[in-house]
Amino acid sequence: MESASPPVRLIVGISGASGAVYGIRALQALRELGVETHLVVTDAALETIRLETDFKKADVVKLATETHKLADITSKIASGSYQTDGMLVIPCSMKTLAGIASGYSDNLLLRAADVTIKERRRLVLVVRETPLSLVHIENMAAVTRAGAIVLPAMPAFYHRPKTVAALVDQVVGKAFDMLGIEHHLLKRWEGRGEERLRSGQVKAGTRTPKSRRLP
Ligand SMILES: Cc1cc2nc3c(=O)[nH]c(=O)nc-3n(C[C@H](O)[C@H](O)[C@H](O)COP(=O)(O)O)c2cc1C
């Protein structure tokens, strides 16, 4: 996805890593932003959705514009001729990562990811596992070399999150950043001004010099 315009059609894959809530939140936010979503959910993800959230499969399906069956390799998202603005796999299990890294596309999520890479479109993988084995790390390196973006589900704490929802939004917001989607899900680091404001060292409205901002 090289265009500067925001994505309008996105494939969303939810696989069976812990953190089904990330995928659900991403679908909710994309819906609010008016992005057309093509959802594919693995069988293991149906389990994590059931175990980790109060959502039913039907509730999740309702959040997407269109849902595609995992086994349906005749689906339009299995073909590069069907134009999309990229794909987000959230969360991405180590098994799905391995499938993408090796090009072993034995379900629709893996095929759609394979197509996204071959068509040189943006693929963002919100991976989740800890600790990581060398197998996992090497698979992450392989997909990165192939052009995908590995975005571990690792929220930051500089914005002093008060709720789990705020942590989830930060990860989803970072993934949206990588896809070029404008959003207000995360609080951006604006330099040390905010910290000095809190401690009363500076008055509101005082700008922090650029040179003191963290990357
Ligand atoms: C509750 C639960 C949590 C899991 N968490 C993870 C995880 O964080 N990362 C991971 O790679 N696999 C995790 N798994 C294992 C995957 O679900 C399993 O490897 C599955 O085969 C992945 O299939 P999929 O990639 O087709 O979704 C978890 C499984 C369960 C039941």
Side-chain angles (χ1 to χ4, degrees):
M1 189 198 64
E2 295 302 327
S3 102
S5 52
V8 289
R9 180 185 287 157
L10 212 62
I11 302 169
V12 177
I14 302 183
S15 71
S18 189
V21 65
Y22 291 118
I24 292 169
R25 182 66 184 125
L27 285 173
Q28 287 170 335
L30 289 168
R31 191 182 172 85
E32 282 161 21
L33 292 166
V35 176
E36 180 184 320
T37 50
H38 290 264
L39 175 66
V40 54
V41 183
T42 68
D43 296 336
L46 292 177
E47 278 300 310
T48 52
I49 290 167
R50 191 178 62 79
L51 290 165
E52 298 182 342
T53 78
D54 293 329
F55 280 73
K56 304 260 178 298
K57 181 185 174 185
D59 303 324
V60 179
V61 163
K62 259 189 248 160
L63 295 171
T65 311
E66 210 173 313
T67 300
H68 304 261
K69 289 202 172 79
L70 188 66
D72 184 11
I73 43 87
T74 69
S75 160
K76 55 194 171 192
I77 61 169
S79 170
S81 65
Y82 185 68
Q83 300 246 291
T84 72
D85 296 299
M87 178 168 178
L88 172 62
V89 184
I90 180 167
C92 181
S93 75
M94 294 303 106
K95 180 195 154 200
T96 286
L97 171 71
I100 297 169
S102 61
Y104 187 72
S105 305
D106 77 337
N107 68 40
L108 183 61
L109 190 161
L110 293 173
R111 171 62 186 166
D114 199 37
V115 165
T116 304
I117 289 176
K118 87 179 171 72
E119 297 294 330
R120 306 321 195 248
R121 296 173 191 151
R122 189 64 59 91
L123 174 64
V124 176
L125 307 177
V126 179
V127 296
R128 218 248 40 127
E129 188 50 277
T130 195
L132 296 169
S133 73
L134 186 58
V135 173
H136 303 150
I137 292 166
E138 284 181 344
N139 283 335
M140 288 184 207
V143 295
T144 302
R145 278 194 295 271
I149 294 173
V150 174
L151 193 148
M154 279 183 195
F157 291 84
Y158 58 81
H159 61 311
R160 299 192 177 202
K162 305 272 184 301
T163 61
V164 172
L167 293 171
V168 170
D169 275 7
Q170 200 195 122
V171 170
V172 173
K174 282 295 284 186
F176 284 7
D177 280 356
M178 294 299 106
L179 290 158
I181 299 169
E182 281 186 33
H183 65 88
H184 299 285
L185 293 172
L186 60 84
K187 194 164 179 340
R188 297 185 188 281
W189 177 251
E190 293 287 350
R192 301 208 51 194
E194 205 175 309
E195 181 194 354
R196 287 152 76 219
L197 252 177
R198 261 201 311 264
S199 67
Q201 283 176 38
V202 291
K203 289 194 199 103
T206 310
R207 283 181 62 82
T208 304
K210 261 205 164 103
S211 58
R212 303 217 39 201
R213 289 186 185 178
L214 293 178

